Amino acid sequence: MPRSVWLLVAARAINRLGAFSLPFLTVLISADFGASATTAGLLSAAFGLATIPSRLAGGRLATTLGRRRTIVAGLTGCAVAQLGIAAAGSLAEVAVFAILLGLAFELYEPPSQALIADAVGPADRVRAYGLLNAGLAAGGAGAGLMAAVLGRWDLRWLFVADALTCLLCALVLHLTLPVDRADRADRPAGRRGGGAERVRPWRDRALWAVFVPGTLFALVGMQTVMGLPLTLARRGLPPADAGLLFTASAVTAVLVQPALRLRRLASLSDSSALALGHVLLALGLGGYARASSLPAFVAATVVCGLGEVLVMSRIFGVVAGLAPRGGADGYLAAYGISWGIATVAAPVTSTQALEHLGAAAPWAGAALLCLALAATYLLLVGPLLAARDRSAPDGVGAGGGSVPAAATDPR
C-alpha cells in the first residue's frame, strides 16, 4: 500500500481509539442535567441529522479547499465541539455543541475515502478500504477499554479524551499528508471551482442504485449498535456484554483481512461479493433472533462481522469507480448520507421494534431485509453496473474511475 494509505489508516485508528464518547452523550444529558430520556434521544437525533450536511460539505470543501485542509478542519472542529460538551454548564450549551459536533463529524470522511481511491489502482481498492476498516476496528476494540476506565471517573473526561485523539490525528495528517495543490486540469477556464460544478452525483442512476440499498444496510448496522444492549437485557444477560460483542466484531474485522486476498474471493464481481456479504449478515442477524447465551451471541457477531467486512471493503470502491475524473469526493460524500439517515432513524426504529415486536422479530426482519438486499445486488445493481462498464471507454470502468477487480487482479 502507498505511504498515504498507511498514514490515513494509522491516524484514523488513533482517532477511533478515542471515539467512545458519543454512546454516552444521552447518559451525560440525563445524569448531569436531569433531562428525560425523550429529550436525550431528541438531542442524539439532532446530532445525527447534522451529520448529513456535514458529509455533503466534506465533499464540497475537498474540491475547493483541498483534501488535507478539509480533513484537518473536520477533526479540529470535532475536538472543539467535544471540549465544549465537556465544559458545558447547561442543557442548552450541550445541545449547541452536540449539533456543532454533528456538523463537523463527517467533514473528513469523503476526502479520506477519496484519497485512498486515488492512491491505489482499482484492483487494490478492496484491500485498501479493507485495511482502513481494519484500522478503525482495531482502534474501536481499544476504545471500549478506555471508556470503561474514564467513564467510571467522570463522563465528561470521555469527551476530553475524544477531543485529544481528534487533535492528535489532525496533527499527524497535517504534517504527513501531501500539501493541497490546486488542480486546474479538470476545471473549465473562466469558471471558479468548475471541476466541482460538473460533478452531479444525484443525477447518476447508478449511484442511486447503490445508495438505496446502502442506506438500508446502514440502518441494519445502526440497529445492531442500538439494539444489542436492549436485546441482551431481554434475554437475561447484562447489557454491558454488548461491549464484548462489539470487540468480537472488531477483532473479526482485523483477522479476516488476509482472506480478502484469496483468489476465489478477490475474483468475485463487486455485485457478487456484496450479495455474499449480505447473506452472511442475514445468517448472523438470524442468530441474534435465536441466541439466548453469550457464546451464541458471539458466534452470531462473528458471522455478522464477516459480512460487514465484505460489504465495507467493496462498496466504497464501487462508489469511487462511478465518479467522473476528479469527482470521487462528491460521490463518496453523497453516498455517505446513507449513514446520516440511519443515525437519525435507528434510535427510533430499533427501540420501537423491540418494544412492540419483542426481542426476536426485529432481528428476523433485519435478516430478511439483508436477503432482499443480496438479491437486489445480484439481479438489479450488478446488471446496471455491468452495462455501465460496457458503455465506458476501453480500460475504464463505470464512471470513468475503475475497472472490476477480477479483470485486473491476477490473485
Side-chain angles (χ1 to χ4, degrees), residues 93-156:
E93 292 179 18
V94 172
V96 169
F97 284 113
I99 294 173
L100 289 176
L101 178 61
L103 291 173
F105 197 73
E106 297 285 347
L107 287 179
Y108 54 78
E109 288 289 1
S112 297
Q113 294 162 0
L115 275 171
I116 290 178
D118 290 349
V120 300
D124 290 323
R125 283 178 180 168
V126 172
R127 286 195 296 130
Y129 284 119
L131 183 63
L132 176 63
N133 292 326
L136 293 174
L145 299 177
M146 292 183 65
V149 174
L150 294 176
R152 295 177 185 275
W153 185 15
D154 190 330
L155 289 177
R156 291 176 183 261

Side-chain angles (χ1 to χ4, degrees), residues 309-353:
V309 167
L310 275 177
V311 174
M312 297 296 285
S313 63
R314 291 275 184 157
I315 192 60
F316 293 121
V318 171
V319 175
L322 294 175
R325 191 177 306 278
D329 305 271
Y331 269 66
L332 289 165
Y335 177 79
I337 292 176
S338 59
W339 287 95
I341 295 172
T343 302
V344 176
V348 178
T349 58
S350 60
T351 54
Q352 292 299 310

Side-chain angles (χ1 to χ4, degrees), residues 157-398:
W157 283 106
L158 295 176
F159 295 89
V160 174
D162 200 347
L164 293 178
T165 61
C166 286
L167 291 175
L168 180 58
C169 180
L171 178 62
V172 169
L173 293 179
H174 174 73
L175 295 176
T176 56
L177 285 181
V179 176
D180 294 316
R181 58 184 178 84
D183 185 2
R184 303 292 178 183
D186 294 329
R187 298 184 181 183
R191 290 173 59 188
R192 183 180 179 183
E197 291 176 18
R198 291 204 307 270
V199 178
R200 298 181 175 91
W202 299 119
R203 297 186 182 183
D204 191 333
R205 288 191 306 161
L207 179 63
W208 279 106
V210 294
F211 175 79
V212 174
T215 301
L216 295 175
F217 164 76
L219 184 61
V220 171
M222 292 305 298
Q223 175 183 306
T224 302
V225 173
M226 302 288 182
L228 265 181
L230 298 174
T231 300
L232 289 171
R234 295 205 172 196
R235 299 281 168 81
L237 298 171
D241 283 353
L244 298 176
L245 300 181
F246 295 144
T247 300
S249 179
V251 172
T252 300
V254 174
L255 295 181
V256 79
Q257 292 305 308
L260 296 177
R261 302 182 65 178
L262 294 176
R263 184 186 300 274
R264 289 187 178 181
L265 194 57
S267 64
L268 288 176
S269 66
D270 288 326
S271 58
S272 297
L274 289 167
L276 176 59
H278 282 87
V279 169
L280 289 172
L281 275 170
L283 292 175
L285 293 166
Y288 284 150
R290 299 173 58 87
S292 58
S293 65
L294 184 59
F297 274 104
V298 171
T301 298
V302 169
V303 177
C304 280
L306 294 173
E308 289 174 0
V309 167
L310 275 177
V311 174
M312 297 296 285
S313 63
R314 291 275 184 157
I315 192 60
F316 293 121
V318 171
V319 175
L322 294 175
R325 191 177 306 278
D329 305 271
Y331 269 66
L332 289 165
Y335 177 79
I337 292 176
S338 59
W339 287 95
I341 295 172
T343 302
V344 176
V348 178
T349 58
S350 60
T351 54
Q352 292 299 310
L354 285 170
E355 181 176 349
H356 294 97
L357 300 177
W363 300 110
L368 292 175
L369 175 59
C370 285
L371 290 177
L373 291 176
T376 298
Y377 277 109
L378 287 177
L379 302 178
L380 298 178
V381 178
L384 177 62
L385 296 179
R388 184 165 175 140
D389 284 335
R390 288 193 297 269
S391 65
D394 291 341
V396 179

